[in-house]
Amino acid sequence: MALHLTWVFGFGLLGNIISCLVCLSPLPTFYQICKKKTSEGFQSIPYVIALFSAMLWLFYTIFKKDTILLITINSFAFFMAIGYIVVYLFYATKKDKILTFKLLLLFNVFGFGLVCVLTLFLTQGHKRVQVLGWICMIFSICVFVAPLFIARKVIKTKSVEFMPFSLSFFLTLSALMWFFYGYLKKDQFVAIPNILGFILGLLQMLLYMIYRNPKKVVEVEPKLQLEISEHVVDLEKLGPTICSEITIVIPKLNDSGNGFVEDQNAKRQAMEIMKAIDVVNKL
């Protein structure tokens, strides 16, 4: 029994440590947002969903016994998610701000409020814990699914700029730790969603490996000059007879104001060149 509790505590502690790293992994992303002073290209929905999930799990721990390890990690996730959302809103465009506020009202105000009202007034005791457990499990799955929006962007743009590898790696490792914690503690509401989290984490890492080195497309400027080989006349093959018939003109208006003037000097030089070539050939 003592050994079992030790394993439960061990996986729970590792789950806390790794989950903290998961919460910290978006820091490079938000550093770039602060540096560029724009959140364009990034989504706020993963952080809104993460905040909602943390709120639900904290509410779940109120009625579930012996959940100190769940309280610690979800409290940390709660404050980190708030921090990310605040920074995002500070640099977001007007359109993204409106969308984020709508999501916050939908999930974190009306959604959480509805869950609280229904569970407090319509359920009690063990049934309340079961209902809250199912709700927490569903939205934990949503937390794992939320990064798929970013994965879709990765596939579309063939760039992993918006999906740091550290986030995917620690998310996968965290899911593994919490699965064993829930399994040993016989808490299906913790174990089941982390199976999906582990699978989706592996998928994200696979996408990162595929698109980490995108092929650079080199734009070739159109040639401003025509290929000489397409327009050179081989005078040696023409011979002096045909060359004498060639009319060489220059872009100069004649006395009548239209057309071109034949360049007699150029024509005479061409004839002399052909005569010289003919002499060389006879030798």
Side-chain angles (χ1 to χ4, degrees):
M1 183 65 178
L3 181 61
H4 177 79
L5 292 176
T6 301
W7 279 106
V8 171
F9 179 79
F11 280 113
L13 182 60
L14 287 173
N16 267 260
I17 295 172
I18 298 171
S19 293
C20 286
L21 295 175
V22 171
C23 294
L24 294 174
S25 59
L27 284 177
T29 297
F30 280 87
Y31 173 76
Q32 292 297 323
I33 290 177
C34 294
K35 186 177 180 181
K36 296 179 181 178
K37 300 185 184 303
T38 177
S39 61
E40 187 176 357
F42 296 92
Q43 301 284 339
S44 63
I45 189 168
Y47 310 104
V48 174
I49 296 296
L51 176 62
F52 185 39
S53 177
M55 293 169 65
L56 288 175
W57 280 110
L58 287 173
F59 190 56
Y60 170 78
T61 59
I62 294 175
F63 306 100
K64 179 75 173 178
K65 296 179 181 179
D66 191 22
T67 54
I68 185 65
L69 293 173
L70 289 177
I71 293 174
T72 54
I73 185 55
N74 283 288
S75 297
F76 184 77
F78 175 82
F79 289 110
M80 290 302 297
I82 288 178
Y84 291 141
I85 292 171
V86 169
V87 174
Y88 182 88
L89 289 173
F90 186 79
Y91 291 106
T93 61
K94 184 178 180 180
K95 181 180 178 181
D96 289 335
K97 286 180 180 178
I98 293 174
L99 176 61
T100 303
F101 278 121
K102 286 181 179 179
L103 292 172
L104 288 171
L105 287 173
L106 177 62
F107 289 102
N108 306 93
V109 178
F110 295 114
F112 184 72
L114 183 63
V115 170
C116 291
V117 170
L118 291 178
T119 53
L120 289 175
F121 290 98
L122 299 180
T123 60
Q124 58 183 351
H126 181 69
K127 186 177 180 180
R128 178 181 294 166
V129 174
Q130 290 289 314
V131 171
L132 283 173
W134 278 103
I135 294 173
C136 289
M137 184 175 69
I138 291 171
F139 282 97
S140 291
I141 293 174
C142 292
V143 170
F144 290 122
V145 172
L148 290 180
F149 290 97
I150 301 176
R152 178 176 175 271
K153 191 177 186 68
V154 169
I155 296 173
K156 185 177 180 180
T157 61
K158 293 180 174 54
S159 171
V160 295
E161 179 183 0
F162 305 112
M163 190 182 70
F165 180 80
S166 58
L167 176 60
S168 302
F169 175 75
F170 288 119
L171 192 64
T172 306
L173 201 56
S174 173
L176 188 63
M177 295 299 106
W178 284 112
F179 165 75
F180 283 113
Y181 171 84
Y183 175 76
L184 293 173
K185 198 172 176 60
K186 294 181 171 55
D187 191 336
Q188 61 178 339
F189 305 119
V190 176
I192 293 176
N194 284 287
I195 296 174
L196 179 62
F198 178 75
I199 295 172
L200 293 179
L202 290 177
L203 176 62
Q204 291 176 46
M205 288 193 291
L206 178 62
L207 286 176
Y208 186 92
M209 297 302 293
I210 294 173
Y211 296 110
R212 63 176 178 171
N213 294 319
K215 295 181 179 180
K216 295 182 179 180
V217 179
V218 180
E219 295 184 0
V220 180
E221 295 184 358
K223 293 183 179 180
L224 299 179
Q225 297 180 351
L226 297 177
E227 293 289 343
I228 298 176
S229 60
E230 295 180 359
H231 303 279
V232 173
V233 178
D234 193 341
L235 294 179
E236 183 178 353
K237 293 181 180 179
L238 289 178
T241 305
I242 299 178
C243 187
S244 63
E245 301 298 328
I246 296 177
T247 301
I248 301 176
V249 298
I250 58 174
K252 178 180 178 182
L253 293 175
N254 55 23
D255 295 336
S256 62
N258 52 30
F260 296 93
V261 178
E262 183 178 355
D263 192 343
Q264 295 295 335
N265 291 330
K267 183 176 180 180
R268 184 166 49 254
Q269 290 176 3
M271 290 295 298
E272 291 176 356
I273 292 172
M274 289 307 307
K275 290 178 180 178
I277 293 173
D278 187 52
V279 172
V280 171
N281 288 336
K282 289 180 179 179
L283 294 176

mmCIF file of all heavy atoms in Angstrom, residues 11-12 41 266:
data_model
loop_
_atom_site.group_PDB
_atom_site.id
_atom_site.type_symbol
_atom_site.label_atom_id
_atom_site.label_comp_id
_atom_site.label_asym_id
_atom_site.label_seq_id
_atom_site.Cartn_x
_atom_site.Cartn_y
_atom_site.Cartn_z
ATOM 1 N N PHE A 11 4.575 9.949 -9.587
ATOM 2 C CA PHE A 11 4.078 10.351 -10.904
ATOM 3 C C PHE A 11 3.353 11.694 -10.832
ATOM 4 O O PHE A 11 3.445 12.508 -11.762
ATOM 5 C CB PHE A 11 3.143 9.277 -11.474
ATOM 6 C CG PHE A 11 3.853 8.107 -12.088
ATOM 7 C CD1 PHE A 11 3.780 6.849 -11.511
ATOM 8 C CD2 PHE A 11 4.615 8.278 -13.234
ATOM 9 C CE1 PHE A 11 4.447 5.773 -12.085
ATOM 10 C CE2 PHE A 11 5.281 7.210 -13.811
ATOM 11 C CZ PHE A 11 5.199 5.946 -13.230
ATOM 12 N N GLY A 12 2.645 11.926 -9.730
ATOM 13 C CA GLY A 12 1.971 13.215 -9.571
ATOM 14 C C GLY A 12 2.949 14.364 -9.464
ATOM 15 O O GLY A 12 2.735 15.439 -10.042
ATOM 16 N N GLY A 41 -0.839 36.257 -36.341
ATOM 17 C CA GLY A 41 -0.383 34.925 -36.702
ATOM 18 C C GLY A 41 -0.525 33.923 -35.575
ATOM 19 O O GLY A 41 -0.425 32.725 -35.792
ATOM 20 N N ALA A 266 27.294 50.634 -91.576
ATOM 21 C CA ALA A 266 27.238 49.307 -90.973
ATOM 22 C C ALA A 266 27.188 48.230 -92.048
ATOM 23 O O ALA A 266 27.810 47.177 -91.931
ATOM 24 C CB ALA A 266 26.023 49.206 -90.049
#
